Structures are given as structure tokens and as C-alpha cells.
């Protein structure tokens, strides 16, 4: 009898054991993964872009609206050990044979450029009266926050960061309906910043800065496969923030730096955050990115900046500046409050310190001596964390 024949007892036994192992692995993942994710059984590379599971809450309301059933189904599906492998096989076939992106939130532009759909849709929906509307809404909030910290001898910076759509629109505006006018698209940031400055708000406009540097380097300041600025963009932005902090303080409160860079292939991090969402076996990574070497003006171990209580509240664009400020501007005590409550980051190496912050966890924001409030140009005056920071500093 041919030993490879399916009718052979050993082959049939092996096949049955495989069929038995799959549900057992799923059961193991359901039982163990929620508390010990490192012990989960996964076949295939880890998937990118996986979000947190919704809590499984059993109640009459969750049964009626289907949220309980949906949460349970999601947990069971995620527990399948072969799920990462099957997803990548499917995505690779669709990507290589048909050029189809299976990540609905990612849009492919010209020359392989990728962008997150929400940034592009916002850019294409801008109107010429938007800056004034946003400014009227946010100026009272920023005044309350700024006045609070300055009354206590602190430094407050409102930081506007750039979007890839605003920096490289020529790659993307023909990929979605784009009814806005060129004047509305390019005028939002300068008009908004000008109105805030006239109202006395201290703004560091790194969106305008980065856009003004377009074409000044041999590579773009946003990576082809990422949605956030690269290391050069982050370094130039942080240099501008530090300059403004020291100007407000009237002295060198935070030591500045200079930097050099080299170009190399893509490894990890923000240079490929959208590529990783494609979840394919052979991601398109044939582009160069800069690797920055920072040259601090003083040795950080002896800098007084190490003891300054500093915070940065903002979006995903806060992570790279936060890391640079901690590691290369000597602000060792700086904490990044990611969307205020989602997580608190800091330390060396830069990492998540705390997740799902409560009201009591935000109390230390009241005593900070340097406060940077970041909003990306794609959602200025529309983030809930501005309201939350205002509430923290105005509540007795």
C-alpha cells in the first residue's frame, strides 16, 4: 500500500489529528489569549491593524441590539489559529493578481503612494469659510487652557501637525470625489493659524513648516507606505517646538539639537504603517526612508531638563515628537497622552506606560510646567481631547 495514500491508516490518523487540533487551538486561544496574549497559538505572521475587541457584555439591551452576539462572534473568529495565515493568502492573491487593496481604509495613489482614506476625504471636503468657523469654536477653549498654565509660570504650545493629503495632494486627489477648491484646500491651515495668533494663542504651525519644505530634500517628508511624517519631518517639527518653548521661557529651558541623516531601506515603524495594514506576504517596500542621528547641544544626563514635568496631549502624530523630546531634548519626564485617555506613553525606550486612563489619571496634567497640545490639520478644532484638557484645568 502506498504510504502517501489517503486510505493509509497513518495518513488518515494524521488528518484527523489536524482536524482535532484546530478547534482545540481555538479553544486555547479563547481561554488564554485575553489574559496572556503571548501564549496564544497563531499560524502565520501577526496581522497589522488589529483593533481592540469590544467587551462581551451580556444584558437584555446587548441581546436586543445584537452587540453581544457580534462581540462573541468576533472573539471566536479571532481565536482561530489559522486566521492570520488564511487572511494573508487571500490578500496576497488579490493584491498580486488584481492590484486590489483589502484594507478598505487605505487608498493607493500614483507611484505606489498610500494614504489613509479619512485624511484624503477630509482634504477634499474643505470649504473656504472653514478656518473662521473652526477658529471661533476653539479660541475660547485654548485661551482657558493657555491662561491656566501661564498663570502658574508654565509654558503652553498649541501644535498644528501636517497631513499627508495636505503635503502630497497631487498623488491622491484624483482617486476619490474631490469637490473642494484648491484655494479651500491650501488656505485652511494658514488662515486658521493666523486667526488663532491674532487672538493671542501661541501656535507652532508645523503643518505650514513641513509643507514649505516640500522639494527641499531628496525624498518626501512622508514615506510612500506610511501616513505619518518621517524622521526628518519629525526632527524639523520638534526643533520648531523647542525653539518656541525657549522663546516663551526667555531662556534655554529645553536643550536644542542638530541632526544628520542617511537614507536606507524600510525596516519598521511609521515608515510602513499603511503597508502593514495590507497584511500580505510580500509588502511593497522598495523605497528609501531617512534614518536620523541627533546631536544634542548638551549631555542629557547633566541637563536640568530631565526633571521638568512635561506633557504632550494629541493624536498619533504625537508619538514621534514625544520620543524625540524625551530621548534627544532631555525631557525624560515627558508623558504623551494619546487621545487623552487611550494611553499614556513615555520612557526610554519609548513605550506605553498605561492604558485606558480614568479621570484620576489625568490629575497630573494640572501641574505640568510644559504643555504641548497637538492637533493634526485634518481635524483641527474637532478633537474631543481639547475639551477634556480644558475640563481638567478649569474644574476646581
Amino acid at each position: 500500500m502506498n504510504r502517501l495514500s489517503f486510505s493509509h491508516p497513518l495518513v488518515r490518523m494524521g488528518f484527523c489529528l489536524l482536524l482535532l487540533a484546530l478547534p482545540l487551538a481555538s479553544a486555547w486561544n479563547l481561554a488564554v489569549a485575553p489574559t496572556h496574549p503571548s501564549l496564544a497559538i497563531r499560524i502565520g505572521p501577526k496581522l497589522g491593524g488589529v483593533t481592540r475587541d469590544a467587551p462581551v457584555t451580556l444584558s437584555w439591551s446587548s441581546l436586543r441590539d445584537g452587540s453581544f452576539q457580534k462581540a462573541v462572534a468576533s472573539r471566536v473568529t479571532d481565536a482561530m489559529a489559522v486566521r492570520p495565515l488564511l487572511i494573508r493568502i487571500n490578500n496576497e492573491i488579490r493584491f498580486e493578481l488584481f492590484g486590489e487593496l483589502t484594507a478598505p481604509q487605505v487608498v493607493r495613489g500614483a507611484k505606489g503612494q498610500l494614504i489613509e482614506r479619512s485624511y484624503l476625504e477630509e482634504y477634499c471636503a474643505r470649504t473656504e469659510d472653514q478656518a473662521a468657523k473652526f477658529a471661533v469654536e476653539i479660541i475660547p477653549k485654548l485661551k482657558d487652557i493657555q491662561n491656566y498654565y501661564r498663570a502658574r509660570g508654565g509654558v503652553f504650545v498649541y501644535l498644528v501637525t501636517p497631513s499627508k493629503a495636505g503635503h502630497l495632494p497631487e498623488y491622491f486627489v484624483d482617486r476619490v470625489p474631490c469637490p473642494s477648491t484648491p484655494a479651500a484646500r491650501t488656505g485652511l491651515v494658514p488662515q486658521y493659524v493666523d486667526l488663532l495668533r491674532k487672538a493671542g494663542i501661541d501656535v507652532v504651525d508645523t503643518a505650514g513648516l513641513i509643507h514649505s519644505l516640500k522639494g527641499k530634500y531628496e525624498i518626501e517628508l512622508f514615506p510612500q507606505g506610511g501616513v505619518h511624517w518621517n524622521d526628518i519631518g519629525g526632527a524639523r517639527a520638534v526643533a520648531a517646538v523647542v525653539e518656541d518653548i525657549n522663546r516663551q521661557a526667555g531662556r534655554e529651558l529645553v536643550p536644542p539639537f542638530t541632526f544628520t541623516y542617511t537614507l536606507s531601506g524600510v525596516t519598521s515603524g511609521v515608515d510602513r504603517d499603511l503597508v502593514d495594514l495590507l497584511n500580505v506576504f510580500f509588502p511593497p517596500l522598495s523605497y528609501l526612508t531617512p534614518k536620523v542621528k541627533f546631536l544634542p547641544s548638551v549631555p542629557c544626563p547633566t541637563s536640568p531638563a530631565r526633571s521638568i514635568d512635561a506633557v504632550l496631549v494629541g493624536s498619533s502624530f504625537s508619538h514621534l515628537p514625544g520620543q524625540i523630546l524625551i530621548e534627544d531634548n532631555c525631557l525624560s519626564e515627558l508623558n504623551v497622552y494619546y487621545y487623552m485617555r487611550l494611553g499614556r506613553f513615555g520612557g526610554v525606550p519609548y513605550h506605553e506606560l498605561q492604558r485606558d486612563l480614568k479621570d484620576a489619571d489625568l490629575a497630573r496634567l494640572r501641574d505640568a510646567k510644559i504643555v504641548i497640545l497637538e492637533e493634526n490639520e485634518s481635524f483641527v478644532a474637532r478633537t474631543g481631547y481639547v475639551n477634556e484638557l480644558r475640563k481638567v484645568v478649569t474644574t476646581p
Side-chain angles (χ1 to χ4, degrees):
M1 181 183 295
N2 186 350
R3 291 189 177 183
L4 296 180
S5 171
F6 186 74
S7 61
H8 193 283
L10 292 178
V11 174
R12 295 172 65 181
M13 180 180 295
F15 182 71
C16 291
L17 289 174
L18 175 63
L19 292 179
L20 180 62
L22 292 177
L24 289 177
S26 297
W28 169 267
N29 289 342
L30 281 171
V32 174
T35 55
H36 299 86
S38 61
L39 298 180
I41 300 172
R42 304 291 182 195
I43 301 174
K46 182 180 178 181
L47 296 175
V50 178
T51 58
R52 300 179 190 178
D53 288 323
V56 179
T57 305
L58 178 58
S59 65
W60 284 115
S61 60
S62 65
L63 285 171
R64 285 196 301 269
D65 63 21
S67 59
F68 171 76
Q69 296 91 321
K70 184 177 180 180
V72 171
S74 176
R75 293 291 178 90
V76 173
T77 301
D78 291 343
M80 295 177 60
V82 296
R83 183 171 180 265
L85 179 64
L86 296 178
I87 287 176
R88 286 187 182 271
I89 291 174
N90 172 71
N91 291 354
E92 188 68 44
I93 293 172
R94 296 169 68 175
F95 181 71
E96 291 295 338
L97 297 184
F98 307 105
E100 182 179 345
L101 303 184
T102 53
Q105 68 273 43
V106 179
V107 175
R108 180 160 53 182
K111 299 182 180 179
Q113 288 279 352
L114 301 179
I115 194 170
E116 194 171 338
R117 183 176 295 275
S118 60
Y119 289 95
L120 183 56
E121 290 178 344
E122 180 279 329
Y123 184 74
C124 286
R126 293 180 181 180
T127 60
E128 295 187 24
D129 62 343
Q130 221 166 16
K133 292 179 179 178
F134 291 159
V136 167
E137 181 179 343
I138 201 169
I139 284 172
K141 303 173 185 178
L142 294 180
K143 278 188 175 181
D144 286 345
I145 298 169
Q146 181 172 274
N147 291 342
Y148 173 88
Y149 288 110
R150 289 190 173 174
R152 288 158 178 77
V155 172
F156 174 76
V157 173
Y158 177 63
L159 174 62
V160 179
T161 53
S163 78
K164 188 174 184 178
H167 192 64
L168 300 171
E170 65 272 18
Y171 290 105
F172 304 109
V173 291
D174 62 340
R175 304 303 165 111
V176 298
C178 206
S180 61
T181 65
R185 299 171 201 159
T186 59
L188 173 63
V189 172
Q191 293 169 19
Y192 177 74
V193 169
D194 182 61
L195 290 169
L196 264 59
R197 285 176 174 164
K198 287 179 178 177
I201 304 301
D202 202 296
V203 184
V204 175
D205 176 20
T206 60
L209 169 65
I210 297 302
H211 297 334
S212 73
L213 295 173
K214 187 174 181 178
K216 301 295 178 64
Y217 292 90
E218 61 267 52
I219 57 170
E220 304 288 3
L221 297 184
F222 283 79
Q224 177 180 314
V227 74
H228 299 95
W229 46 19
N230 62 22
D231 287 356
I232 294 176
R236 292 296 300 261
V238 171
V241 170
V242 170
E243 181 181 0
D244 194 74
I245 290 173
N246 292 338
R247 178 193 61 79
Q248 289 191 48
R251 59 189 176 90
E252 190 178 285
L253 187 62
V254 179
F257 56 71
T258 57
F259 69 91
T260 59
Y261 68 90
T262 57
L263 299 182
S264 65
V266 181
T267 53
S268 61
V270 295
D271 292 330
R272 54 179 291 171
D273 53 9
L274 291 183
V275 168
D276 287 339
L277 295 180
L278 304 183
N279 287 315
V280 294
F281 286 111
F282 306 103
L285 296 171
S286 57
Y287 54 92
L288 297 177
T289 61
K291 304 301 177 186
V292 167
K293 180 180 180 181
F294 292 93
L295 306 170
S297 58
V298 300
C300 282
T302 61
S303 172
R306 288 176 54 85
S307 61
I308 298 175
D309 188 358
V311 299
L312 196 168
V313 179
S315 69
S316 55
F317 275 84
S318 296
H319 288 308
L320 181 56
Q323 182 178 354
I324 295 172
L325 286 164
I326 292 169
E327 297 179 0
D328 304 293
N329 295 108
C330 309
L331 290 175
S332 303
E333 296 299 315
L334 182 138
N335 278 243
V336 174
Y337 287 76
Y338 178 49
Y339 285 98
M340 184 61 94
R341 293 180 180 273
L342 292 186
R344 181 170 62 86
F345 292 75
V348 179
Y350 182 81
H351 64 287
E352 185 179 62
L353 303 172
Q354 187 180 4
R355 179 175 293 189
D356 297 328
L357 278 64
K358 310 302 181 188
D359 287 346
D361 301 317
L362 305 180
R364 66 168 295 179
L365 289 166
R366 297 175 60 89
D367 300 322
K369 298 305 179 185
I370 296 177
V371 177
I372 305 166
L373 176 59
E374 179 269 330
E375 286 194 302
N376 190 262
E377 66 169 284
S378 64
F379 44 71
V380 287
R382 287 161 286 177
T383 55
Y385 53 81
V386 175
N387 295 330
E388 292 204 60
L389 181 57
R390 184 193 196 188
K391 181 180 178 181
V392 167
V393 300
T394 58
T395 300

